Amino acid sequence: MSRLEAIETLKTYYDAFNAGDTDGMEALLADDFEHHVNEGNIRRGAKAFREFNAHMTRCYRETLTDICVMANDAGTRAAAEFVVNGTYLKTDEGLPEARGQSYRLPAGTFFDLKDGKIARVTTYYNLSDWIKQVS
């Protein structure tokens, strides 16, 4: 995979995210996929990622803007920076009560890619900033 192919793969991933097409996102994952989240345990495999996406869809409605994708020349490592524009729909366990609050949060994600698929997603954002915005 070249740098440009990696960037196109991630653009497809984020287009699917913004369209609410979790099946489209999951179709881009490698068999040994790992999802490293900002807070919590590593999720391994597409099934765990599918469960995560279902949970997120219940609790949040999000669209990403200002997406900037970068990749190394080999197309094996990549990163994206973006802004999360969201609405907090349903109270997520251990977090403030949901009342339809809006939030806007800068975030970033790192990727490993292999054989044309996404092998790892690691996302970072400022949880305390999000909590301030919805409290």
Side-chain angles (χ1 to χ4, degrees), residues 24-129:
M25 294 167 63
E26 293 161 11
L28 298 169
L29 305 181
D31 291 338
D32 58 350
F33 171 77
E34 290 188 350
H35 182 212
H36 298 239
V37 293
N38 195 63
E39 302 285 331
N41 298 321
I42 297 170
R43 293 178 181 87
R44 290 181 170 83
K47 181 177 184 259
F49 190 65
R50 189 173 309 110
E51 291 167 358
F52 169 79
N53 283 331
H55 170 80
M56 292 296 289
T57 299
R58 277 191 307 276
C59 294
Y60 309 91
R61 182 174 48 246
E62 297 180 330
T63 302
L64 308 180
T65 56
D66 303 318
I67 301 169
C68 179
V69 178
M70 302 151 270
N72 68 350
D73 288 340
T76 57
R77 307 259 328 254
E81 184 177 17
F82 48 86
V83 175
V84 181
N85 305 277
T87 304
Y88 190 25
L89 303 171
K90 183 178 179 191
T91 302
D92 202 344
E93 185 179 340
L95 296 173
E97 182 181 345
R99 298 179 311 279
Q101 306 94 309
S102 294
Y103 53 91
R104 184 172 165 83
L105 193 66
T109 301
F110 298 97
F111 297 87
D112 284 339
L113 298 105
K114 67 178 185 180
D115 302 324
K117 298 283 188 171
I118 298 169
R120 176 187 56 91
V121 171
T122 303
T123 301
Y124 293 104
Y125 56 89
N126 186 327
L127 181 60
S128 57
D129 181 16

